[in-house]
Amino acid sequence: MALKKNWSRRDILKHAGMLSAAGAANTIAPDNLQALVAAPAKSASTHPRVLKAGQILTAAQAPHTDGDFYDNLFTRIGIRPLINCRGTITAISGSTSLPEVKQAMYNASLYHVRMDEMMETVGAELGKLCGAEWGIATTGTAAATCIATVACIAGTDVEKSQALPYIKKKDQVVIPKTSRNPYDIGVRMCGVEMVEFSSPEELREKINDRTAMMYILADPRWNATAMSTKNLAAICKERGVPVFVDAAATEPNTPNPHIEAGADLVAYSGGKCMRGPQSAGLLIGKKDLCQAAYFQGAPHHNYGRAMKCSKEETMGLLAAVRAWHTRDHEAEQKMWLGWMQSIADRMKGLPSVEATVLPPPPAEAIDRSPGVRITWDAKVTGITGTELAKLLDEGTPRIVLGGIGARPHHMDSSVTIFGYIMTPAEVKIVADAIYHALKNPPHYEDPVVPAATPASVEGNWAVTVHYLRGIGEQHLVIKQVGNNLTGEHHGEIYNTTLTGSIHANEIAFISVLPVTGYPLTCRFKGTVHGNQIAGTLNMGEYGEATWEAVRA
């Protein structure tokens, strides 16, 4: 669905960074959005930049905004930019960096510095700003996790550093079972054993001479329980074990709640709520541990050499942290809530449609973006949530949001929009696009379900999965009652159960392999031909593969 070309990317970019302390104090009423984005954008190229005495950067050389949603550096190479209604998700390029971050990164690119001298000075300021002894810039939170782990294993002992990952005395990291997540790969990639525990008593039992540190995921749900960071950190302190808190998506407030609770190291994403460089991270905490973490990474030839943090990313992150402590966060939240209310108001009058504004979670929560959830009966509107999400994703401008609802059995539908990565111009585009899609949707038919007698698939099946590169040999044990399927899915490493159905010779089933910290959902579809099946396997973010099976 194409929209009229009313909004230029220049207008959107101009206002994307309007949330400075002064700008955020003036909230924007929904009825002023059009006037706001209609204002002419002043090109950055009209402002010469002073490099040093007597030398001026010319207008032709200065960075400037180039194009709009319909013609820009991405579209010229066949990439369709998008309006992000889902939040700071890495797969859709995180947040939009603040103007002062862009400026700092550009200015940093004009000079050469000694990296160690830069980090010494920047580290002291990051620590001061964040209520810690010290801090460093990293290439994301996963990189911060890795070099923090190595710092706790080897410190700044050069021999121990160079022997990694094969030789190490401290080769275990304790972690609450509730903290297992896909991002603890930053610990696992160091070649250590993850030792899980479920109670303070079990933590005491599992700490030993091999324990390098404790990893815990920031989660306010545990703050008032025996598994709180404060309680677990006190146990670790008794045994001299450093505590690392992964607080990637949370706000880096001062005083720092995790350091106050006893953490020795805390990591944040630089490219989420701080709106710094997308590939940057922030590690703060004890000075000796932060310095050891920096020692373990570039420019030093140690384990974290590959995680090189440039001068541009470092100074961009510093600009983002400085801005965080001067931004008017209350005014920002008020403005974002106003945007979400304007989207909700746009839906008025649509049959069966209700829009609910979602206020931001409490200050200690993860991802404090306000939002709006729009619900409807697809039997009335004629379009489900997943169909609407796909329609907007394929439209121009491209809009990405989360949709729920599928025909014919799940017609209660919804989409959810989160606001704090959006701009005023994008708010109106999104509101109009959803309104028109719900009011005048394309025609959709219910999927055709074959009515013929289902093929027999009960039994043992040898499965071959053809990945983009590599082949996996798996095994299925299928039980069948009419159209309904249950059974077992034995992967190469992991095992689980499966559920699904078969109609005529069309088979579909789902299994969830229990990959530690990040269960892998496998959606199999295929066509049965006697004792053979062939089809596709969808693995979500890991893409698709083809598969074939032969009945034993």
Side-chain angles (χ1 to χ4, degrees):
M1 179 184 65
L3 300 176
K4 293 175 65 177
K5 184 178 175 180
N6 294 328
W7 312 98
S8 75
R9 186 61 178 170
R10 178 173 296 179
D11 291 327
I12 293 171
L13 287 172
K14 178 188 175 189
H15 299 289
M18 62 185 298
L19 302 176
S20 63
N26 299 313
T27 57
I28 301 164
D31 55 358
N32 291 333
L33 291 179
Q34 186 166 353
L36 176 64
V37 297
K42 181 179 282 187
S43 171
S45 62
T46 62
H47 299 284
R49 289 171 172 76
V50 178
L51 303 183
K52 58 184 180 181
Q55 184 179 3
I56 302 295
L57 186 66
T58 67
Q61 294 171 310
H64 62 281
T65 302
D66 178 23
D68 56 26
F69 252 119
Y70 305 86
D71 178 25
N72 53 64
L73 79 169
F74 288 116
T75 61
R76 291 166 204 155
I77 59 173
I79 299 171
R80 298 175 61 236
L82 56 87
I83 295 175
N84 178 4
C85 301
R86 295 192 62 194
T88 56
I89 298 173
T90 299
I92 49 177
S93 63
S95 67
T96 48
S97 59
L98 295 168
E100 49 265 59
V101 171
K102 296 180 176 71
Q103 186 70 62
M105 294 182 73
Y106 173 71
N107 288 348
S109 73
L110 303 176
Y111 306 95
H112 289 90
V113 295
R114 290 193 180 278
M115 300 295 284
D116 290 349
E117 293 176 357
M118 177 188 67
M119 196 60 79
E120 180 68 35
T121 302
V122 170
E125 184 172 351
L126 289 174
K128 184 177 180 180
L129 287 168
C130 297
E133 292 181 8
W134 219 63
I136 64 171
T138 69
T139 51
T141 312
T145 304
C146 176
I147 58 177
T149 304
V150 178
C152 293
I153 292 171
T156 57
D157 186 315
V158 179
E159 287 189 73
K160 290 180 180 178
S161 301
Q162 293 298 309
L164 291 172
Y166 306 109
I167 302 172
K168 48 189 175 296
K169 291 183 178 179
K170 293 186 179 295
D171 60 354
Q172 293 182 345
V173 168
V174 288
I175 180 172
K177 284 187 177 181
T178 52
S179 286
R180 295 309 304 266
N181 69 90
Y183 307 108
D184 65 34
I185 183 64
V187 178
R188 290 182 277 127
M189 66 188 291
C190 302
V192 299
E193 178 187 357
M194 303 292 280
V195 179
E196 298 179 355
F197 65 93
S198 299
S199 68
E201 294 73 25
E202 193 175 2
L203 171 61
R204 283 193 174 91
E205 292 174 2
K206 294 197 173 179
I207 291 177
N208 58 62
D209 292 341
R210 297 168 59 190
T211 306
M213 75 175 196
M214 180 179 76
Y215 172 106
I216 187 167
L217 189 65
D219 191 333
R221 291 179 300 173
W222 309 111
N223 287 352
T225 73
M227 294 292 285
S228 66
T229 298
K230 182 177 182 180
N231 195 42
L232 300 180
I235 296 170
C236 290
K237 186 175 182 179
E238 295 171 2
R239 304 289 294 273
V241 173
V243 174
F244 171 88
V245 175
D246 182 341
T250 64
E251 298 182 341
N253 295 320
T254 302
N256 187 276
H258 310 296
I259 290 176
E260 286 194 323
D264 300 286
L265 291 167
V266 186
Y268 294 93
S269 171
K272 294 190 183 295
C273 61
M274 277 192 282
R275 294 180 62 189
Q278 169 59 15
S279 57
L282 171 66
L283 181 66
I284 60 172
K286 295 291 181 62
K287 182 175 182 178
D288 62 338
L289 281 173
C290 286
Q291 289 183 323
Y294 173 65
F295 171 84
Q296 293 296 343
H300 317 109
H301 295 85
N302 286 322
Y303 193 81
R305 171 68 189 185
M307 302 166 200
K308 183 184 295 183
C309 191
S310 69
K311 63 183 186 292
E312 292 84 4
E313 289 168 318
T314 299
M315 297 310 293
L317 178 73
L318 178 59
V321 176
R322 286 171 173 169
W324 179 263
H325 293 284
T326 58
R327 285 160 57 182
D328 188 336
H329 298 292
E330 183 177 348
E332 287 181 338
Q333 292 287 354
K334 185 178 180 181
M335 180 172 65
W336 294 328
L337 278 169
W339 293 355
M340 297 302 96
Q341 186 63 57
S342 72
I343 295 176
D345 292 342
R346 185 71 173 94
M347 303 302 125
K348 290 180 179 177
L350 292 172
S352 85
V353 176
E354 295 184 5
T356 304
V357 174
L358 308 174
E364 70 274 10
I366 296 172
D367 196 350
R368 296 196 61 235
S369 173
V372 58
R373 180 170 292 119
I374 302 168
T375 62
W376 67 93
D377 183 351
K379 294 191 294 291
V380 175
T381 63
I383 186 170
T384 67
T386 51
E387 289 165 346
L388 187 145
K390 185 174 185 293
L391 182 69
L392 298 187
D393 195 359
E394 294 173 348
T396 302
R398 187 179 191 180
I399 298 169
V400 174
L401 43 70
I404 295 174
R407 64 181 66 243
H409 302 301
H410 303 284
M411 300 297 275
D412 289 338
S413 297
S414 68
V415 293
T416 304
I417 299 100
F418 292 105
Y420 79 153
I421 300 303
M422 299 177 71
T423 67
E426 292 174 336
V427 169
K428 178 167 175 54
I429 292 172
V430 170
D432 287 345
I434 296 174
Y435 178 86
H436 290 300
L438 290 173
K439 186 177 182 181
N440 297 299
H443 178 70
Y444 293 96
E445 294 282 353
D446 287 347
V448 176
V449 178
T453 301
S456 173
V457 292
E458 181 147 348
N460 296 312
W461 296 81
V463 178
T464 301
V465 179
H466 298 273
Y467 298 105
L468 179 64
R469 179 173 175 82
I471 293 176
E473 300 294 344
Q474 303 183 4
H475 181 72
L476 301 175
V477 179
I478 299 178
K479 296 180 180 180
Q480 180 177 356
V481 178
N483 297 108
N484 299 318
L485 306 178
T486 58
E488 303 169 9
H489 176 195
H490 299 276
E492 295 173 271
I493 299 172
Y494 302 98
N495 301 308
T496 188
T497 58
L498 66 86
T499 58
S501 62
I502 182 165
H503 297 275
N505 65 339
E506 299 300 314
I507 187 172
F509 58 91
I510 297 176
S511 66
V512 182
L513 293 173
V515 178
T516 302
Y518 199 32
L520 173 60
T521 300
C522 300
R523 301 178 185 275
F524 289 84
K525 289 186 177 181
T527 303
V528 181
H529 297 285
N531 290 323
Q532 295 183 332
I533 309 175
T536 59
L537 166 60
N538 184 290
M539 299 169 287
E541 71 169 272
Y542 301 109
E544 284 198 347
T546 60
W547 67 286
E548 58 199 39
V550 177
R551 180 153 35 192

PDB file of all heavy atoms in Angstrom, residues 511-532:
ATOM      1  N   SER A 511       8.015 -27.645  16.411  1.00  0.00           N
ATOM      2  CA  SER A 511       8.763 -28.135  17.573  1.00  0.00           C
ATOM      3  C   SER A 511       9.608 -26.984  18.106  1.00  0.00           C
ATOM      4  O   SER A 511       9.888 -26.025  17.392  1.00  0.00           O
ATOM      5  CB  SER A 511       9.670 -29.300  17.183  1.00  0.00           C
ATOM      6  OG  SER A 511      10.693 -28.856  16.306  1.00  0.00           O
ATOM      7  N   VAL A 512       9.989 -27.080  19.364  1.00  0.00           N
ATOM      8  CA  VAL A 512      10.826 -26.048  19.987  1.00  0.00           C
ATOM      9  C   VAL A 512      12.037 -26.737  20.604  1.00  0.00           C
ATOM     10  O   VAL A 512      11.940 -27.338  21.684  1.00  0.00           O
ATOM     11  CB  VAL A 512      10.048 -25.244  21.049  1.00  0.00           C
ATOM     12  CG1 VAL A 512      10.941 -24.150  21.629  1.00  0.00           C
ATOM     13  CG2 VAL A 512       8.779 -24.640  20.453  1.00  0.00           C
ATOM     14  N   LEU A 513      13.162 -26.675  19.937  1.00  0.00           N
ATOM     15  CA  LEU A 513      14.375 -27.306  20.449  1.00  0.00           C
ATOM     16  C   LEU A 513      14.886 -26.512  21.652  1.00  0.00           C
ATOM     17  O   LEU A 513      15.020 -25.287  21.579  1.00  0.00           O
ATOM     18  CB  LEU A 513      15.441 -27.367  19.355  1.00  0.00           C
ATOM     19  CG  LEU A 513      15.116 -28.289  18.169  1.00  0.00           C
ATOM     20  CD1 LEU A 513      16.176 -28.130  17.074  1.00  0.00           C
ATOM     21  CD2 LEU A 513      15.028 -29.742  18.614  1.00  0.00           C
ATOM     22  N   PRO A 514      15.191 -27.178  22.757  1.00  0.00           N
ATOM     23  CA  PRO A 514      15.555 -26.482  23.998  1.00  0.00           C
ATOM     24  C   PRO A 514      17.000 -25.975  24.011  1.00  0.00           C
ATOM     25  O   PRO A 514      17.807 -26.353  24.870  1.00  0.00           O
ATOM     26  CB  PRO A 514      15.317 -27.555  25.066  1.00  0.00           C
ATOM     27  CG  PRO A 514      15.617 -28.839  24.362  1.00  0.00           C
ATOM     28  CD  PRO A 514      15.120 -28.649  22.946  1.00  0.00           C
ATOM     29  N   VAL A 515      17.318 -25.099  23.069  1.00  0.00           N
ATOM     30  CA  VAL A 515      18.635 -24.469  23.054  1.00  0.00           C
ATOM     31  C   VAL A 515      18.759 -23.604  24.311  1.00  0.00           C
ATOM     32  O   VAL A 515      17.866 -22.809  24.610  1.00  0.00           O
ATOM     33  CB  VAL A 515      18.826 -23.614  21.794  1.00  0.00           C
ATOM     34  CG1 VAL A 515      20.169 -22.914  21.801  1.00  0.00           C
ATOM     35  CG2 VAL A 515      18.671 -24.485  20.547  1.00  0.00           C
ATOM     36  N   THR A 516      19.841 -23.747  25.062  1.00  0.00           N
ATOM     37  CA  THR A 516      19.987 -23.081  26.348  1.00  0.00           C
ATOM     38  C   THR A 516      19.873 -21.570  26.208  1.00  0.00           C
ATOM     39  O   THR A 516      20.612 -20.946  25.454  1.00  0.00           O
ATOM     40  CB  THR A 516      21.346 -23.422  26.978  1.00  0.00           C
ATOM     41  OG1 THR A 516      21.439 -24.841  27.113  1.00  0.00           O
ATOM     42  CG2 THR A 516      21.477 -22.778  28.352  1.00  0.00           C
ATOM     43  N   GLY A 517      18.909 -20.999  26.934  1.00  0.00           N
ATOM     44  CA  GLY A 517      18.767 -19.556  26.953  1.00  0.00           C
ATOM     45  C   GLY A 517      17.965 -18.983  25.813  1.00  0.00           C
ATOM     46  O   GLY A 517      17.528 -17.836  25.874  1.00  0.00           O
ATOM     47  N   TYR A 518      17.760 -19.752  24.736  1.00  0.00           N
ATOM     48  CA  TYR A 518      17.072 -19.197  23.575  1.00  0.00           C
ATOM     49  C   TYR A 518      16.434 -20.317  22.775  1.00  0.00           C
ATOM     50  O   TYR A 518      16.952 -20.709  21.726  1.00  0.00           O
ATOM     51  CB  TYR A 518      18.071 -18.423  22.710  1.00  0.00           C
ATOM     52  CG  TYR A 518      17.444 -17.443  21.744  1.00  0.00           C
ATOM     53  CD1 TYR A 518      16.252 -16.787  22.052  1.00  0.00           C
ATOM     54  CD2 TYR A 518      18.047 -17.166  20.529  1.00  0.00           C
ATOM     55  CE1 TYR A 518      15.700 -15.879  21.184  1.00  0.00           C
ATOM     56  CE2 TYR A 518      17.497 -16.254  19.640  1.00  0.00           C
ATOM     57  CZ  TYR A 518      16.318 -15.615  19.984  1.00  0.00           C
ATOM     58  OH  TYR A 518      15.762 -14.702  19.104  1.00  0.00           O
ATOM     59  N   PRO A 519      15.314 -20.887  23.242  1.00  0.00           N
ATOM     60  CA  PRO A 519      14.681 -22.010  22.545  1.00  0.00           C
ATOM     61  C   PRO A 519      14.460 -21.712  21.063  1.00  0.00           C
ATOM     62  O   PRO A 519      14.077 -20.604  20.683  1.00  0.00           O
ATOM     63  CB  PRO A 519      13.350 -22.166  23.287  1.00  0.00           C
ATOM     64  CG  PRO A 519      13.631 -21.628  24.660  1.00  0.00           C
ATOM     65  CD  PRO A 519      14.578 -20.481  24.453  1.00  0.00           C
ATOM     66  N   LEU A 520      14.721 -22.716  20.223  1.00  0.00           N
ATOM     67  CA  LEU A 520      14.665 -22.557  18.776  1.00  0.00           C
ATOM     68  C   LEU A 520      13.360 -23.149  18.247  1.00  0.00           C
ATOM     69  O   LEU A 520      13.151 -24.361  18.276  1.00  0.00           O
ATOM     70  CB  LEU A 520      15.861 -23.257  18.128  1.00  0.00           C
ATOM     71  CG  LEU A 520      15.864 -23.330  16.606  1.00  0.00           C
ATOM     72  CD1 LEU A 520      15.850 -21.938  15.989  1.00  0.00           C
ATOM     73  CD2 LEU A 520      17.069 -24.131  16.115  1.00  0.00           C
ATOM     74  N   THR A 521      12.468 -22.286  17.767  1.00  0.00           N
ATOM     75  CA  THR A 521      11.194 -22.731  17.210  1.00  0.00           C
ATOM     76  C   THR A 521      11.388 -23.144  15.755  1.00  0.00           C
ATOM     77  O   THR A 521      11.881 -22.372  14.936  1.00  0.00           O
ATOM     78  CB  THR A 521      10.137 -21.617  17.296  1.00  0.00           C
ATOM     79  OG1 THR A 521       9.937 -21.263  18.670  1.00  0.00           O
ATOM     80  CG2 THR A 521       8.813 -22.072  16.697  1.00  0.00           C
ATOM     81  N   CYS A 522      10.982 -24.371  15.450  1.00  0.00           N
ATOM     82  CA  CYS A 522      11.106 -24.925  14.098  1.00  0.00           C
ATOM     83  C   CYS A 522       9.706 -25.158  13.538  1.00  0.00           C
ATOM     84  O   CYS A 522       8.901 -25.874  14.139  1.00  0.00           O
ATOM     85  CB  CYS A 522      11.875 -26.243  14.121  1.00  0.00           C
ATOM     86  SG  CYS A 522      13.549 -26.121  14.773  1.00  0.00           S
ATOM     87  N   ARG A 523       9.429 -24.574  12.397  1.00  0.00           N
ATOM     88  CA  ARG A 523       8.130 -24.719  11.744  1.00  0.00           C
ATOM     89  C   ARG A 523       8.323 -25.475  10.432  1.00  0.00           C
ATOM     90  O   ARG A 523       8.836 -24.927   9.453  1.00  0.00           O
ATOM     91  CB  ARG A 523       7.494 -23.354  11.494  1.00  0.00           C
ATOM     92  CG  ARG A 523       7.289 -22.549  12.787  1.00  0.00           C
ATOM     93  CD  ARG A 523       6.700 -21.167  12.508  1.00  0.00           C
ATOM     94  NE  ARG A 523       6.620 -20.380  13.731  1.00  0.00           N
ATOM     95  CZ  ARG A 523       5.618 -20.425  14.608  1.00  0.00           C
ATOM     96  NH1 ARG A 523       4.586 -21.224  14.370  1.00  0.00           N
ATOM     97  NH2 ARG A 523       5.632 -19.679  15.692  1.00  0.00           N
ATOM     98  N   PHE A 524       7.938 -26.733  10.446  1.00  0.00           N
ATOM     99  CA  PHE A 524       8.083 -27.598   9.287  1.00  0.00           C
ATOM    100  C   PHE A 524       6.809 -27.573   8.438  1.00  0.00           C
ATOM    101  O   PHE A 524       5.703 -27.669   8.972  1.00  0.00           O
ATOM    102  CB  PHE A 524       8.339 -29.045   9.716  1.00  0.00           C
ATOM    103  CG  PHE A 524       9.690 -29.303  10.321  1.00  0.00           C
ATOM    104  CD1 PHE A 524       9.921 -29.068  11.671  1.00  0.00           C
ATOM    105  CD2 PHE A 524      10.727 -29.809   9.549  1.00  0.00           C
ATOM    106  CE1 PHE A 524      11.156 -29.335  12.244  1.00  0.00           C
ATOM    107  CE2 PHE A 524      11.966 -30.080  10.107  1.00  0.00           C
ATOM    108  CZ  PHE A 524      12.180 -29.839  11.459  1.00  0.00           C
ATOM    109  N   LYS A 525       6.971 -27.476   7.143  1.00  0.00           N
ATOM    110  CA  LYS A 525       5.875 -27.669   6.200  1.00  0.00           C
ATOM    111  C   LYS A 525       6.377 -28.565   5.081  1.00  0.00           C
ATOM    112  O   LYS A 525       7.564 -28.518   4.718  1.00  0.00           O
ATOM    113  CB  LYS A 525       5.390 -26.339   5.618  1.00  0.00           C
ATOM    114  CG  LYS A 525       4.630 -25.461   6.593  1.00  0.00           C
ATOM    115  CD  LYS A 525       4.072 -24.228   5.893  1.00  0.00           C
ATOM    116  CE  LYS A 525       3.256 -23.396   6.862  1.00  0.00           C
ATOM    117  NZ  LYS A 525       2.668 -22.191   6.197  1.00  0.00           N
ATOM    118  N   GLY A 526       5.488 -29.413   4.535  1.00  0.00           N
ATOM    119  CA  GLY A 526       5.934 -30.283   3.468  1.00  0.00           C
ATOM    120  C   GLY A 526       4.797 -31.001   2.779  1.00  0.00           C
ATOM    121  O   GLY A 526       3.623 -30.893   3.171  1.00  0.00           O
ATOM    122  N   THR A 527       5.162 -31.740   1.760  1.00  0.00           N
ATOM    123  CA  THR A 527       4.216 -32.541   0.992  1.00  0.00           C
ATOM    124  C   THR A 527       4.623 -34.007   1.079  1.00  0.00           C
ATOM    125  O   THR A 527       5.801 -34.344   0.903  1.00  0.00           O
ATOM    126  CB  THR A 527       4.197 -32.090  -0.479  1.00  0.00           C
ATOM    127  OG1 THR A 527       3.880 -30.697  -0.536  1.00  0.00           O
ATOM    128  CG2 THR A 527       3.149 -32.871  -1.268  1.00  0.00           C
ATOM    129  N   VAL A 528       3.647 -34.861   1.385  1.00  0.00           N
ATOM    130  CA  VAL A 528       3.900 -36.288   1.577  1.00  0.00           C
ATOM    131  C   VAL A 528       3.681 -37.029   0.253  1.00  0.00           C
ATOM    132  O   VAL A 528       2.667 -36.830  -0.424  1.00  0.00           O
ATOM    133  CB  VAL A 528       2.975 -36.866   2.661  1.00  0.00           C
ATOM    134  CG1 VAL A 528       3.262 -38.350   2.877  1.00  0.00           C
ATOM    135  CG2 VAL A 528       3.136 -36.089   3.969  1.00  0.00           C
ATOM    136  N   HIS A 529       4.645 -37.866  -0.085  1.00  0.00           N
ATOM    137  CA  HIS A 529       4.526 -38.749  -1.240  1.00  0.00           C
ATOM    138  C   HIS A 529       4.889 -40.159  -0.781  1.00  0.00           C
ATOM    139  O   HIS A 529       6.063 -40.560  -0.827  1.00  0.00           O
ATOM    140  CB  HIS A 529       5.437 -38.305  -2.382  1.00  0.00           C
ATOM    141  CG  HIS A 529       5.096 -36.947  -2.927  1.00  0.00           C
ATOM    142  ND1 HIS A 529       4.012 -36.713  -3.738  1.00  0.00           N
ATOM    143  CD2 HIS A 529       5.701 -35.735  -2.739  1.00  0.00           C
ATOM    144  CE1 HIS A 529       3.958 -35.424  -4.050  1.00  0.00           C
ATOM    145  NE2 HIS A 529       4.968 -34.812  -3.455  1.00  0.00           N
ATOM    146  N   GLY A 530       3.876 -40.887  -0.290  1.00  0.00           N
ATOM    147  CA  GLY A 530       4.115 -42.232   0.194  1.00  0.00           C
ATOM    148  C   GLY A 530       5.035 -42.235   1.402  1.00  0.00           C
ATOM    149  O   GLY A 530       4.701 -41.718   2.465  1.00  0.00           O
ATOM    150  N   ASN A 531       6.228 -42.805   1.251  1.00  0.00           N
ATOM    151  CA  ASN A 531       7.196 -42.891   2.348  1.00  0.00           C
ATOM    152  C   ASN A 531       8.245 -41.778   2.284  1.00  0.00           C
ATOM    153  O   ASN A 531       9.313 -41.905   2.876  1.00  0.00           O
ATOM    154  CB  ASN A 531       7.895 -44.254   2.323  1.00  0.00           C
ATOM    155  CG  ASN A 531       6.951 -45.369   2.716  1.00  0.00           C
ATOM    156  OD1 ASN A 531       6.103 -45.195   3.602  1.00  0.00           O
ATOM    157  ND2 ASN A 531       7.077 -46.518   2.065  1.00  0.00           N
ATOM    158  N   GLN A 532       7.917 -40.697   1.597  1.00  0.00           N
ATOM    159  CA  GLN A 532       8.838 -39.569   1.504  1.00  0.00           C
ATOM    160  C   GLN A 532       8.090 -38.261   1.764  1.00  0.00           C
ATOM    161  O   GLN A 532       6.902 -38.136   1.443  1.00  0.00           O
ATOM    162  CB  GLN A 532       9.505 -39.525   0.132  1.00  0.00           C
ATOM    163  CG  GLN A 532      10.415 -40.714  -0.156  1.00  0.00           C
ATOM    164  CD  GLN A 532      11.117 -40.587  -1.489  1.00  0.00           C
ATOM    165  OE1 GLN A 532      10.605 -39.957  -2.410  1.00  0.00           O
ATOM    166  NE2 GLN A 532      12.280 -41.198  -1.598  1.00  0.00           N
TER     167      GLN A 532
END
